[in-house]
Amino acid sequence: MLKSKTFVKKTRSGGVMKIVREHYLRDDIWCGSEVCTECKQESTVLQRDACIESDLCCFPHYLIPDTNVVLHQIDVLEDPLIRNVVILQTVLQEVRHRSAPIYKRLKDILHEQEKHFYTFTNEHHRETFIEREPGESANDRNDRAIRVAVKWYSHHLEKGGSDGPKAVLITNDQGNKEKAEESDLLVYKCEEYIKSLIANPELVDRLALANDEKNDISSSKVLFPEHFPLSRIQVGIKSGTFLQGTFRASRDNYLEATVFVQGEGEDSTEVLLQGLQNLNRAIHQDVVAVQLLPREQWLAPSSVVLHDEREAKDEDATEEEEKEKAMKNIADDAARKPTGRVVGIIKRNWRPFCGMLNSSLIKESTRHLFTPADRRVPRIRIETRQASALASQRIMVAIDGWPRHSRYPNGHFVRSLGAAGDKETETEVLLLEHDVPHQDFSQAVLSFLPKMPWSITPEDMAVRQDLRALTVCSVDPPGCTDIDDALHCRTLENGNLEVGVHIADVSHFIRPGNALDLEASNRGTTVYLCGKRIDMVPELLSSNLCSLRSNVERLAFSCIWEMNNKADIVKTRFTKSVINSKASLTYAEAQLRIDDTTMNDDITNSLRGLNKLAKILKRQRIEKGALTLSSLEVRFHIDSETHDPIDLQTKELMETNSMVEEFMLLANISVAQKIYDEFSECALLRKHPAPPPSNYDILTKAAKSKGLAIHTDSAKALADSLDVAKVDGFPYFNTLLRILATRCMMQAVYFCSGMDSDFHHYGLASPIYTHFTSPIRRYSDIIVHRLLAVAIGADSTYPDLTDKHKQSALCNNLNYRHKMSQYAQRASVAFHTQLFFKSRGILNEEGFILFVRKNAIIVLIPKFGLEGTVFFDSKDKTGPKLVFDEEGPTLMVEQHTFKIFDKVKVTISLDDSNVQHQKIRMSLVDPVIPGVSVPVTEVEPPAKKPKLDC
């Protein structure tokens, strides 16, 4: 049966176009139930015995939720208890249009066989399709379509017998419920149905709170200004009265945030917000509308560190008002920033948050406060009847709303993650908090892996260069199993050198658009945590078939140069190849071979040739203005039995680290130029923007305090200044200055060449750059491999590869995934550092001041690569006299003045008084300031244990 709708539409050129939309209706769409005898279905989803113990429905039944129930109660629907649910096509389409994340979660549930969720295509069934009536809103038409489908199911199921399952409509819309009851349908509100289920308190906790006044868990006092409606916000943004931007809460001060406003091109503005009223219920990463305050009310960012750790009291705002006054800086006009207030929320960016429950002090209370692990997110009020069981657990909570009368947002319990402090639980938390995809690879993804046993075929050999006879070797960190790259160097007959960088040919195994490719594209990068690796591609590829292990034949993509002895490139060529690595070495093993004069085998001679050229290449780069910056990386020695850290030290870099780095950089630059020459509009490149001059303020002030000048006009000027910045008797000064310079840098980003004009990489002083050398662990490199393969005629192209808009969207995801993976790695290091200090008690160590704050100094301990804060004020007692000078910056504590790079001695210990926010506590030992510094603590040497490197 065919329904058609005809209408005319005016075109841009002024003509008239007739449009006919055809809608096919069918009789053969199955109901999906086992009890049905009418539908000629090949397979069924909904069970005959669809029973859940319930006070309301003591008979078998199928649930049919409306759109709003799916949108707001997805956590309930995901619970294993909820089975045999019909998702109508009307509902599925509405959810798809209104929330992409919830649509994805719903699709995942539909694919879980044990959940018995069935999609019924009611919009194409002859008996359930309805036309929209004159004057009827789209929403009312959809509600009616849902009721019609429920009625059809009720009658249809009755044909299988009176004792068969019944259809139950679940809706929270009172009007919809009343109309359903008038039609004699079984209908319940979501809350009353869930509360009717017997012995399932956890499911009740997962109910999202309705956002109406009677459900507010709050006081009667209005604490926040009202948010403007979207219509007024849009008018305000258009007229320039309001600005639209992304809300970024501060980790260090819960009363402060900034709103990042993207301007035209590269221009952007940051608007400062201070005080609860001006933050006005915005949550980190929300898209908000802000109104700028008059210029005379502009403020400078606060130097105070403030965490919200008080008891939850809505009415008592006096304490907060005092904090707000204390943090306001009396600053000159130059330090003031555009300051504003949030007037409305354009798009919420709520997600389930990990954290811990703070049980209410009121006995038998079901209302409790949840503290998120992320300090940028406010505490959340939830209702739960299992507070005592959850008290020591890490749990997930979702926000439902934030009324004007409530100091905190309201939310609901989602699920428990495990015991707080447990290594597995804490790893799960940091992966969830940093949005790292870490679920097992699905069967759909694994189905695209090559069948084992795998070997290189004659067809592969026919289209590749055979380089198996070359003395190729790899040099990597100890324990590395995902070996992306290998090198060779040999002397040619004309006296020049041939140097090859051979990269794993991952794009041979991952073909565009299949499930394996889409999964790798979403993950974007492999994430390396302490003692754990979250692979971007399945282990069969990452640690076996793609890994360039020694003494096995592997497919590679080779970049081969002919160079003279001055490292000038005479010729460059790229080829798909087959290699057989002769050795898989660690950096230390390669260094020993180079230094051992008694060794003169082919591998060692190849390494010496590479090392000699690498030194020349590095010198040439530095002469062009490349920066040599510094950041402390740590290595844990892990107990082989308990897998706890038993030692911690900074990583030592060798000549061989630099040798490999130089050739990887050269390969990346050579490939970048090649793919840009071939694909000027769609090359995937990487750039490092020059920092704005203001970023260098702290660096120039720090150097000035030691009587030195740092020039920041260009990367070359900065590099030269850093090279000569030395202080007699202070050998570590230059390293500290380079660590500080690293903090001034911008983030390097991926971009599409057709969407940008500035390609320059500031840190490398290179006009063009990309990533080609790590395709096992970076998806960007797979795309670059595909572009290069097309450029040399080794593979065919496909539409998305040459679509600059698709490439640009991909780059945005890669940049996000890369940034979150770095944050997750840092969080993992921080957690293992805490485990290390937990077993070591209190240590005394020397360190240097990196930053000076209004009420604290931030100290770097070089021995452990550790940063910590020494606070000089205390909630419990009267603190010392503090005088902060922002110009220095300096902090005078009593009679002693602290400056950046001052040497101090501190005690280091683990403060685990807050189970969730355990932190390294530092206290000042030297210089001795009466009433402030603490005595030196006696330290016991730890017992020696067997260890593994991490």
Side-chain angles (χ1 to χ4, degrees), residues 57-106:
C57 305
C58 50
F59 42 81
H61 57 278
Y62 301 147
L63 299 179
I64 306 180
D66 73 0
T67 307
N68 281 322
V69 167
V70 173
L71 285 168
H72 298 117
Q73 306 294 349
I74 189 73
D75 291 321
V76 170
L77 294 176
E78 283 177 331
D79 193 280
L81 186 77
I82 304 298
R83 298 190 303 276
N84 294 295
V85 177
V86 178
I87 299 295
L88 300 176
Q89 183 189 1
T90 309
V91 171
L92 198 61
Q93 287 173 344
E94 273 197 288
V95 170
R96 185 180 183 180
H97 290 139
R98 287 170 61 180
S99 174
I102 289 176
Y103 177 71
K104 185 184 182 303
R105 288 169 72 180
L106 183 58

Short mmCIF file of all heavy atoms in Angstrom, two decimals, residues 57-106:
data_model
loop_
_atom_site.label_atom_id
_atom_site.label_comp_id
_atom_site.label_asym_id
_atom_site.label_seq_id
_atom_site.Cartn_x
_atom_site.Cartn_y
_atom_site.Cartn_z
N CYS A 57 1.93 -5.34 37.95
CA CYS A 57 1.73 -6.26 36.80
C CYS A 57 2.17 -7.66 37.21
O CYS A 57 3.34 -8.01 37.09
CB CYS A 57 2.56 -5.80 35.59
SG CYS A 57 2.26 -4.10 35.11
N CYS A 58 1.22 -8.46 37.70
CA CYS A 58 1.57 -9.80 38.15
C CYS A 58 1.38 -10.83 37.03
O CYS A 58 1.20 -12.01 37.28
CB CYS A 58 0.75 -10.17 39.38
SG CYS A 58 -1.00 -9.86 39.14
N PHE A 59 1.38 -10.34 35.79
CA PHE A 59 1.18 -11.19 34.61
C PHE A 59 2.32 -10.92 33.63
O PHE A 59 2.99 -9.89 33.72
CB PHE A 59 -0.17 -10.86 33.96
CG PHE A 59 -0.45 -9.38 33.89
CD1 PHE A 59 0.11 -8.58 32.89
CD2 PHE A 59 -1.25 -8.77 34.86
CE1 PHE A 59 -0.12 -7.22 32.84
CE2 PHE A 59 -1.48 -7.39 34.81
CZ PHE A 59 -0.92 -6.61 33.80
N PRO A 60 2.57 -11.82 32.67
CA PRO A 60 3.62 -11.54 31.67
C PRO A 60 3.26 -10.26 30.90
O PRO A 60 2.09 -10.04 30.56
CB PRO A 60 3.58 -12.77 30.75
CG PRO A 60 2.86 -13.81 31.52
CD PRO A 60 1.91 -13.11 32.43
N HIS A 61 4.27 -9.42 30.61
CA HIS A 61 3.98 -8.17 29.91
C HIS A 61 5.19 -7.65 29.16
O HIS A 61 6.33 -7.94 29.53
CB HIS A 61 3.46 -7.10 30.88
CG HIS A 61 4.40 -6.81 32.02
ND1 HIS A 61 4.46 -7.60 33.15
CD2 HIS A 61 5.33 -5.82 32.19
CE1 HIS A 61 5.38 -7.11 33.98
NE2 HIS A 61 5.93 -6.04 33.42
N TYR A 62 4.91 -6.90 28.08
CA TYR A 62 5.96 -6.20 27.33
C TYR A 62 5.82 -4.71 27.61
O TYR A 62 4.70 -4.17 27.56
CB TYR A 62 5.79 -6.44 25.82
CG TYR A 62 5.85 -7.89 25.40
CD1 TYR A 62 5.08 -8.34 24.32
CD2 TYR A 62 6.67 -8.80 26.05
CE1 TYR A 62 5.12 -9.68 23.92
CE2 TYR A 62 6.72 -10.13 25.65
CZ TYR A 62 5.94 -10.56 24.60
OH TYR A 62 5.99 -11.88 24.22
N LEU A 63 6.95 -4.06 27.87
CA LEU A 63 6.94 -2.61 28.12
C LEU A 63 7.09 -1.86 26.81
O LEU A 63 7.92 -2.24 25.96
CB LEU A 63 8.09 -2.22 29.06
CG LEU A 63 8.09 -2.86 30.45
CD1 LEU A 63 9.32 -2.40 31.24
CD2 LEU A 63 6.83 -2.52 31.22
N ILE A 64 6.30 -0.78 26.65
CA ILE A 64 6.45 0.08 25.47
C ILE A 64 6.64 1.52 25.98
O ILE A 64 5.66 2.19 26.32
CB ILE A 64 5.22 -0.02 24.53
CG1 ILE A 64 4.96 -1.49 24.15
CG2 ILE A 64 5.45 0.83 23.28
CD1 ILE A 64 3.77 -1.70 23.22
N PRO A 65 7.90 1.98 26.09
CA PRO A 65 8.13 3.33 26.63
C PRO A 65 7.93 4.40 25.55
O PRO A 65 8.15 4.15 24.36
CB PRO A 65 9.61 3.28 27.05
CG PRO A 65 10.23 2.26 26.16
CD PRO A 65 9.15 1.27 25.79
N ASP A 66 7.51 5.61 25.99
CA ASP A 66 7.44 6.71 25.03
C ASP A 66 8.80 7.40 24.94
O ASP A 66 9.76 7.01 25.64
CB ASP A 66 6.29 7.68 25.36
CG ASP A 66 6.57 8.55 26.59
OD1 ASP A 66 7.66 8.41 27.20
OD2 ASP A 66 5.70 9.37 26.95
N THR A 67 8.90 8.41 24.10
CA THR A 67 10.20 9.03 23.81
C THR A 67 10.86 9.63 25.04
O THR A 67 12.06 9.44 25.29
CB THR A 67 10.03 10.13 22.73
OG1 THR A 67 9.37 9.56 21.62
CG2 THR A 67 11.38 10.68 22.30
N ASN A 68 10.07 10.36 25.86
CA ASN A 68 10.67 11.03 27.02
C ASN A 68 11.18 10.04 28.06
O ASN A 68 12.17 10.31 28.73
CB ASN A 68 9.67 12.01 27.65
CG ASN A 68 9.60 13.30 26.85
OD1 ASN A 68 10.62 13.78 26.36
ND2 ASN A 68 8.40 13.84 26.68
N VAL A 69 10.51 8.91 28.18
CA VAL A 69 11.00 7.88 29.12
C VAL A 69 12.36 7.37 28.64
O VAL A 69 13.30 7.22 29.43
CB VAL A 69 9.98 6.72 29.25
CG1 VAL A 69 10.60 5.52 29.96
CG2 VAL A 69 8.74 7.20 29.99
N VAL A 70 12.50 7.12 27.33
CA VAL A 70 13.79 6.65 26.80
C VAL A 70 14.87 7.73 27.02
O VAL A 70 15.99 7.43 27.46
CB VAL A 70 13.68 6.29 25.30
CG1 VAL A 70 15.05 5.97 24.72
CG2 VAL A 70 12.75 5.10 25.11
N LEU A 71 14.53 8.98 26.73
CA LEU A 71 15.51 10.07 26.84
C LEU A 71 15.98 10.29 28.28
O LEU A 71 17.16 10.54 28.52
CB LEU A 71 14.93 11.37 26.30
CG LEU A 71 14.84 11.50 24.77
CD1 LEU A 71 13.99 12.70 24.38
CD2 LEU A 71 16.22 11.60 24.14
N HIS A 72 15.05 10.19 29.25
CA HIS A 72 15.40 10.54 30.63
C HIS A 72 15.68 9.34 31.51
O HIS A 72 16.29 9.50 32.57
CB HIS A 72 14.28 11.40 31.24
CG HIS A 72 14.09 12.70 30.53
ND1 HIS A 72 12.92 13.04 29.90
CD2 HIS A 72 14.94 13.73 30.30
CE1 HIS A 72 13.05 14.23 29.32
NE2 HIS A 72 14.27 14.66 29.55
N GLN A 73 15.22 8.15 31.11
CA GLN A 73 15.40 6.98 31.98
C GLN A 73 16.23 5.89 31.30
O GLN A 73 16.04 4.70 31.56
CB GLN A 73 14.02 6.42 32.39
CG GLN A 73 13.09 7.42 33.02
CD GLN A 73 13.57 7.94 34.38
OE1 GLN A 73 14.52 7.40 34.95
NE2 GLN A 73 12.92 8.97 34.90
N ILE A 74 17.18 6.28 30.47
CA ILE A 74 18.01 5.30 29.75
C ILE A 74 18.82 4.44 30.72
O ILE A 74 19.08 3.27 30.47
CB ILE A 74 18.94 6.01 28.71
CG1 ILE A 74 19.65 4.99 27.81
CG2 ILE A 74 19.93 6.93 29.38
CD1 ILE A 74 18.77 4.34 26.78
N ASP A 75 19.20 5.02 31.89
CA ASP A 75 19.94 4.24 32.89
C ASP A 75 19.10 3.09 33.42
O ASP A 75 19.62 2.00 33.70
CB ASP A 75 20.38 5.14 34.06
CG ASP A 75 21.44 6.14 33.63
OD1 ASP A 75 22.31 5.77 32.84
OD2 ASP A 75 21.39 7.31 34.08
N VAL A 76 17.79 3.31 33.57
CA VAL A 76 16.88 2.25 34.02
C VAL A 76 16.75 1.20 32.92
O VAL A 76 16.83 -0.01 33.18
CB VAL A 76 15.50 2.85 34.39
CG1 VAL A 76 14.48 1.73 34.62
CG2 VAL A 76 15.61 3.72 35.63
N LEU A 77 16.56 1.64 31.68
CA LEU A 77 16.39 0.70 30.57
C LEU A 77 17.63 -0.18 30.36
O LEU A 77 17.52 -1.31 29.89
CB LEU A 77 16.06 1.45 29.28
CG LEU A 77 14.72 2.20 29.25
CD1 LEU A 77 14.57 3.00 27.96
CD2 LEU A 77 13.55 1.24 29.42
N GLU A 78 18.81 0.35 30.71
CA GLU A 78 20.04 -0.43 30.54
C GLU A 78 20.21 -1.51 31.60
O GLU A 78 21.03 -2.41 31.45
CB GLU A 78 21.26 0.51 30.58
CG GLU A 78 21.46 1.29 29.30
CD GLU A 78 22.63 2.27 29.38
OE1 GLU A 78 22.94 2.76 30.48
OE2 GLU A 78 23.22 2.55 28.34
N ASP A 79 19.44 -1.42 32.70
CA ASP A 79 19.57 -2.39 33.79
C ASP A 79 19.22 -3.80 33.29
O ASP A 79 18.24 -3.98 32.56
CB ASP A 79 18.65 -2.00 34.95
CG ASP A 79 18.99 -2.79 36.20
OD1 ASP A 79 18.56 -3.95 36.30
OD2 ASP A 79 19.70 -2.25 37.08
N PRO A 80 20.01 -4.82 33.68
CA PRO A 80 19.75 -6.19 33.21
C PRO A 80 18.35 -6.69 33.55
O PRO A 80 17.81 -7.58 32.88
CB PRO A 80 20.82 -7.03 33.95
CG PRO A 80 21.89 -6.05 34.31
CD PRO A 80 21.23 -4.73 34.51
N LEU A 81 17.73 -6.14 34.62
CA LEU A 81 16.40 -6.59 35.03
C LEU A 81 15.33 -6.24 33.99
O LEU A 81 14.36 -6.97 33.83
CB LEU A 81 16.04 -5.94 36.38
CG LEU A 81 14.74 -6.42 37.01
CD1 LEU A 81 14.93 -7.79 37.64
CD2 LEU A 81 14.25 -5.43 38.06
N ILE A 82 15.51 -5.12 33.31
CA ILE A 82 14.49 -4.66 32.36
C ILE A 82 14.69 -5.38 31.02
O ILE A 82 15.66 -5.14 30.31
CB ILE A 82 14.55 -3.12 32.17
CG1 ILE A 82 14.40 -2.41 33.51
CG2 ILE A 82 13.50 -2.65 31.17
CD1 ILE A 82 13.08 -2.65 34.22
N ARG A 83 13.73 -6.28 30.72
CA ARG A 83 13.81 -7.06 29.48
C ARG A 83 12.44 -7.06 28.81
O ARG A 83 11.45 -6.63 29.39
CB ARG A 83 14.23 -8.51 29.78
CG ARG A 83 15.61 -8.65 30.40
CD ARG A 83 16.06 -10.11 30.44
NE ARG A 83 15.15 -10.97 31.16
CZ ARG A 83 15.15 -11.14 32.48
NH1 ARG A 83 16.02 -10.47 33.22
NH2 ARG A 83 14.28 -11.94 33.06
N ASN A 84 12.40 -7.55 27.57
CA ASN A 84 11.14 -7.63 26.81
C ASN A 84 10.48 -6.26 26.66
O ASN A 84 9.43 -5.98 27.23
CB ASN A 84 10.18 -8.64 27.47
CG ASN A 84 10.71 -10.05 27.39
OD1 ASN A 84 10.85 -10.61 26.30
ND2 ASN A 84 11.08 -10.61 28.53
N VAL A 85 11.16 -5.43 25.91
CA VAL A 85 10.72 -4.05 25.69
C VAL A 85 10.55 -3.83 24.19
O VAL A 85 11.41 -4.23 23.40
CB VAL A 85 11.74 -3.04 26.28
CG1 VAL A 85 11.32 -1.61 25.98
CG2 VAL A 85 11.88 -3.24 27.79
N VAL A 86 9.44 -3.18 23.82
CA VAL A 86 9.21 -2.83 22.41
C VAL A 86 9.60 -1.36 22.23
O VAL A 86 9.06 -0.49 22.92
CB VAL A 86 7.74 -3.04 22.02
CG1 VAL A 86 7.51 -2.62 20.57
CG2 VAL A 86 7.32 -4.48 22.23
N ILE A 87 10.55 -1.11 21.34
CA ILE A 87 10.91 0.27 20.99
C ILE A 87 10.26 0.58 19.66
O ILE A 87 10.59 -0.02 18.63
CB ILE A 87 12.45 0.44 20.90
CG1 ILE A 87 13.12 0.12 22.26
CG2 ILE A 87 12.81 1.86 20.46
CD1 ILE A 87 12.78 1.04 23.40
N LEU A 88 9.32 1.50 19.66
CA LEU A 88 8.61 1.86 18.44
C LEU A 88 9.50 2.70 17.53
O LEU A 88 10.35 3.46 18.01
CB LEU A 88 7.32 2.63 18.78
CG LEU A 88 6.31 1.87 19.65
CD1 LEU A 88 5.14 2.77 20.01
CD2 LEU A 88 5.81 0.61 18.95
N GLN A 89 9.28 2.58 16.24
CA GLN A 89 10.03 3.37 15.26
C GLN A 89 9.86 4.86 15.53
O GLN A 89 10.81 5.64 15.41
CB GLN A 89 9.55 3.02 13.85
CG GLN A 89 10.31 3.74 12.73
CD GLN A 89 9.65 3.53 11.38
OE1 GLN A 89 8.63 2.87 11.27
NE2 GLN A 89 10.23 4.09 10.35
N THR A 90 8.65 5.28 15.92
CA THR A 90 8.38 6.69 16.24
C THR A 90 9.33 7.17 17.33
O THR A 90 9.90 8.25 17.24
CB THR A 90 6.91 6.83 16.74
OG1 THR A 90 6.05 6.21 15.80
CG2 THR A 90 6.54 8.28 16.93
N VAL A 91 9.48 6.35 18.36
CA VAL A 91 10.34 6.69 19.51
C VAL A 91 11.80 6.72 19.07
O VAL A 91 12.55 7.65 19.38
CB VAL A 91 10.12 5.68 20.66
CG1 VAL A 91 11.16 5.88 21.77
CG2 VAL A 91 8.71 5.80 21.21
N LEU A 92 12.21 5.70 18.31
CA LEU A 92 13.61 5.61 17.86
C LEU A 92 14.00 6.84 17.04
O LEU A 92 15.08 7.42 17.22
CB LEU A 92 13.79 4.33 17.04
CG LEU A 92 15.22 3.83 16.83
CD1 LEU A 92 15.89 3.50 18.15
CD2 LEU A 92 15.23 2.61 15.93
N GLN A 93 13.10 7.27 16.15
CA GLN A 93 13.41 8.43 15.30
C GLN A 93 13.49 9.72 16.12
O GLN A 93 14.37 10.56 15.90
CB GLN A 93 12.34 8.57 14.20
CG GLN A 93 12.47 7.51 13.10
CD GLN A 93 11.32 7.53 12.12
OE1 GLN A 93 10.27 8.11 12.38
NE2 GLN A 93 11.52 6.90 10.97
N GLU A 94 12.57 9.88 17.08
CA GLU A 94 12.59 11.09 17.92
C GLU A 94 13.85 11.14 18.77
O GLU A 94 14.47 12.19 18.90
CB GLU A 94 11.35 11.12 18.83
CG GLU A 94 10.13 11.75 18.19
CD GLU A 94 9.10 12.14 19.24
OE1 GLU A 94 8.46 11.22 19.80
OE2 GLU A 94 8.95 13.35 19.51
N VAL A 95 14.24 10.00 19.34
CA VAL A 95 15.46 9.95 20.16
C VAL A 95 16.67 10.29 19.30
O VAL A 95 17.57 11.04 19.72
CB VAL A 95 15.62 8.56 20.83
CG1 VAL A 95 17.00 8.41 21.46
CG2 VAL A 95 14.53 8.34 21.86
N ARG A 96 16.70 9.77 18.09
CA ARG A 96 17.83 10.03 17.18
C ARG A 96 17.98 11.53 16.91
O ARG A 96 19.09 12.05 16.87
CB ARG A 96 17.60 9.28 15.87
CG ARG A 96 18.77 9.40 14.91
CD ARG A 96 18.50 8.65 13.63
NE ARG A 96 19.64 8.71 12.75
CZ ARG A 96 19.69 8.14 11.55
NH1 ARG A 96 18.65 7.45 11.12
NH2 ARG A 96 20.75 8.24 10.79
N HIS A 97 16.85 12.22 16.75
CA HIS A 97 16.91 13.66 16.45
C HIS A 97 17.26 14.49 17.68
O HIS A 97 17.84 15.56 17.56
CB HIS A 97 15.56 14.14 15.89
CG HIS A 97 15.31 13.62 14.51
ND1 HIS A 97 14.07 13.15 14.09
CD2 HIS A 97 16.13 13.45 13.45
CE1 HIS A 97 14.16 12.73 12.84
NE2 HIS A 97 15.39 12.89 12.43
N ARG A 98 16.91 13.97 18.88
CA ARG A 98 17.05 14.80 20.08
C ARG A 98 18.32 14.55 20.88
O ARG A 98 18.79 15.43 21.59
CB ARG A 98 15.81 14.64 20.96
CG ARG A 98 14.60 15.35 20.34
CD ARG A 98 13.30 15.03 21.03
NE ARG A 98 13.28 15.44 22.43
CZ ARG A 98 12.24 15.26 23.23
NH1 ARG A 98 11.14 14.68 22.75
NH2 ARG A 98 12.29 15.64 24.48
N SER A 99 18.90 13.36 20.79
CA SER A 99 20.12 13.09 21.57
C SER A 99 20.93 11.96 20.95
O SER A 99 20.57 10.79 21.07
CB SER A 99 19.75 12.73 23.02
OG SER A 99 20.90 12.32 23.72
N ALA A 100 22.03 12.32 20.30
CA ALA A 100 22.90 11.31 19.66
C ALA A 100 23.49 10.32 20.68
O ALA A 100 23.50 9.11 20.42
CB ALA A 100 24.01 12.00 18.88
N PRO A 101 23.97 10.78 21.87
CA PRO A 101 24.54 9.81 22.83
C PRO A 101 23.51 8.79 23.31
O PRO A 101 23.82 7.60 23.43
CB PRO A 101 25.03 10.69 23.99
CG PRO A 101 25.19 12.06 23.41
CD PRO A 101 24.15 12.17 22.35
N ILE A 102 22.28 9.24 23.59
CA ILE A 102 21.26 8.31 24.09
C ILE A 102 20.81 7.38 22.96
O ILE A 102 20.56 6.19 23.18
CB ILE A 102 20.08 9.08 24.74
CG1 ILE A 102 20.58 9.66 26.07
CG2 ILE A 102 18.87 8.17 24.97
CD1 ILE A 102 19.62 10.52 26.80
N TYR A 103 20.75 7.91 21.74
CA TYR A 103 20.42 7.06 20.59
C TYR A 103 21.44 5.93 20.45
O TYR A 103 21.07 4.77 20.23
CB TYR A 103 20.39 7.91 19.32
CG TYR A 103 20.11 7.12 18.06
CD1 TYR A 103 18.85 6.59 17.80
CD2 TYR A 103 21.13 6.88 17.12
CE1 TYR A 103 18.60 5.85 16.64
CE2 TYR A 103 20.88 6.15 15.97
CZ TYR A 103 19.62 5.64 15.73
OH TYR A 103 19.38 4.90 14.60
N LYS A 104 22.72 6.24 20.63
CA LYS A 104 23.76 5.21 20.53
C LYS A 104 23.59 4.16 21.64
O LYS A 104 23.71 2.96 21.40
CB LYS A 104 25.15 5.85 20.62
CG LYS A 104 26.28 4.84 20.40
CD LYS A 104 27.64 5.44 20.58
CE LYS A 104 28.73 4.40 20.32
NZ LYS A 104 28.64 3.20 21.15
N ARG A 105 23.29 4.63 22.86
CA ARG A 105 23.10 3.70 23.98
C ARG A 105 21.89 2.80 23.73
O ARG A 105 21.91 1.60 24.02
CB ARG A 105 22.94 4.48 25.29
CG ARG A 105 24.24 5.12 25.77
CD ARG A 105 24.02 6.10 26.90
NE ARG A 105 23.68 5.46 28.15
CZ ARG A 105 23.44 6.14 29.29
NH1 ARG A 105 23.49 7.46 29.30
NH2 ARG A 105 23.13 5.49 30.39
N LEU A 106 20.82 3.39 23.16
CA LEU A 106 19.62 2.61 22.85
C LEU A 106 19.91 1.55 21.78
O LEU A 106 19.48 0.40 21.89
CB LEU A 106 18.49 3.55 22.40
CG LEU A 106 17.13 2.91 22.11
CD1 LEU A 106 16.60 2.18 23.33
CD2 LEU A 106 16.13 3.96 21.64
#
